[in-house]
Amino acid sequence: MQAQLIEAFRRARRDEGLVVLEGFHAVKHAVRFGAELVRVVAREDADLDALSARLAPDVVLDADRVDGDGFARLVPVPPRTGVVALARRPAQAVPAVRSSPAVLLEDPRDLSNVGACVRVAAAAGASAVLTTGAKDPWSPEALRGSAGLHFALPVVRLDDIDARPLLALDPEGEPPSAIPDDAILAFGTERDGLSDALLARADARIALPMRDGVSSLNLATAVSAVLYAWRLA
Ligand SMILES: C[S@@+](CC[C@H](N)C(=O)[O-])C[C@H]1O[C@@H](n2cnc3c(N)ncnc32)[C@H](O)[C@@H]1O
């Protein structure tokens, strides 16, 4: 049984139909936002009832149990809370109509950054997180960074998007005025920023003001600042 579970989690990391959830918070958020759990596994000493009572009384988990050695082999970084799960990856589409901004990450490289962007986008009420480039935004590392909040909004990788209004977030841009509810907010890759092609077709380039000497914000921090500027306005 333990060997089968280890193999199931190993295979799931390469299976595009499955999602690996690491830790109680990730499982909790996934359940709250409608995830279909395939398997929940807990370390034999993990007190899931106490975790639920303390952190999420609305989420009750029924888990298979493995010993500490087995648990340590389920995922690369075993979570402290002692629980991991597999869920079905939902079919998601780019929303055709937006009542809140969508975040577009152009070719992001750091999946934990992608996860942090998904987390703040879900919290602020963004309509979607869209990505371009080779990285899968549903990879286990991104899911860890989002604490399972990928299930709260569409997170979709696409080749390109031709939608407006397209606002490019660029340290060389102008200070923002009002951010339209239906905006696509485009953020560049961690090292090089937005591509010339995207900057050329943007309706506006907006900058978050920074004190002299600072060249840019971290990607997820920039996403956070803009979404909360929109939300609080
Ligand atoms: C780490 S930054 C990239 C830095 C890159 N050297 C540049 O100059 O754009 C990642 C992305 O965050 C956004 N960003 C970071 N700081 C920003 C700021 N002060 N104003 C607007 N966007 C910012 C931009 O979209 C940027 O492409």
Side-chain angles (χ1 to χ4, degrees):
M1 168 73 166
Q2 192 149 300
Q4 279 173 359
L5 289 173
I6 293 166
E7 179 59 15
F9 274 78
R10 198 180 62 76
R11 269 193 274 115
R13 298 186 92 77
R14 298 191 308 270
D15 185 336
E16 295 216 334
L18 291 176
V19 169
V20 181
L21 298 163
E22 302 174 10
F24 185 83
H25 289 290
V27 180
K28 167 195 77 179
H29 280 140
V31 169
R32 277 198 187 140
F33 290 100
E36 184 190 340
L37 297 185
V38 176
R39 192 130 231 176
V40 182
V41 182
R43 208 175 42 220
E44 59 192 352
D45 62 349
D47 189 343
L48 294 187
D49 291 342
L51 281 171
S52 290
R54 187 160 56 88
L55 302 171
D58 54 316
V59 176
V60 178
L61 299 175
D62 182 19
D64 293 320
R65 295 286 175 164
V66 293
D67 64 27
D69 288 344
F71 190 76
R73 295 176 60 199
L74 292 174
V75 295
V77 185
R80 275 186 304 117
T81 47
V83 59
V84 294
L86 300 180
R88 294 213 187 283
R89 180 165 169 167
Q92 293 183 325
V94 181
V97 178
R98 293 179 299 281
S99 55
S100 61
V103 170
L104 172 62
L105 305 178
E106 191 185 39
D107 196 13
R109 308 295 167 87
D110 178 339
L111 285 163
S112 60
N113 238 345
V114 172
C117 293
V118 171
R119 187 172 185 167
V120 72
S127 58
V129 174
L130 313 172
T131 67
T132 63
K135 302 275 187 184
D136 179 3
W138 280 80
S139 74
E141 196 179 347
L143 260 295
R144 206 181 311 138
S146 79
L149 282 164
H150 280 61
F151 289 87
L153 74 177
V155 178
V156 181
R157 178 168 50 161
L158 29 75
D159 291 331
D160 201 1
I161 185 165
D162 182 20
R164 301 201 171 278
L166 178 64
L167 304 186
L169 272 292
D170 176 16
E172 305 293 313
E174 301 293 323
S177 49
I179 295 169
D181 289 348
D182 61 348
I184 304 268
L185 302 170
F187 298 83
T189 191
E190 288 89 338
R191 179 164 303 198
D192 299 325
L194 284 165
S195 66
D196 290 343
L198 196 144
L199 287 170
R201 64 191 166 87
D203 296 298
R205 297 183 191 187
I206 59 178
L208 295 160
M210 298 179 290
R211 68 180 283 187
D212 284 351
V214 179
S215 50
S216 69
L217 298 169
N218 158 275
L219 172 60
T221 312
V223 171
S224 176
V226 179
L227 286 179
Y228 273 93
W230 164 78
R231 187 176 170 114
L232 296 170

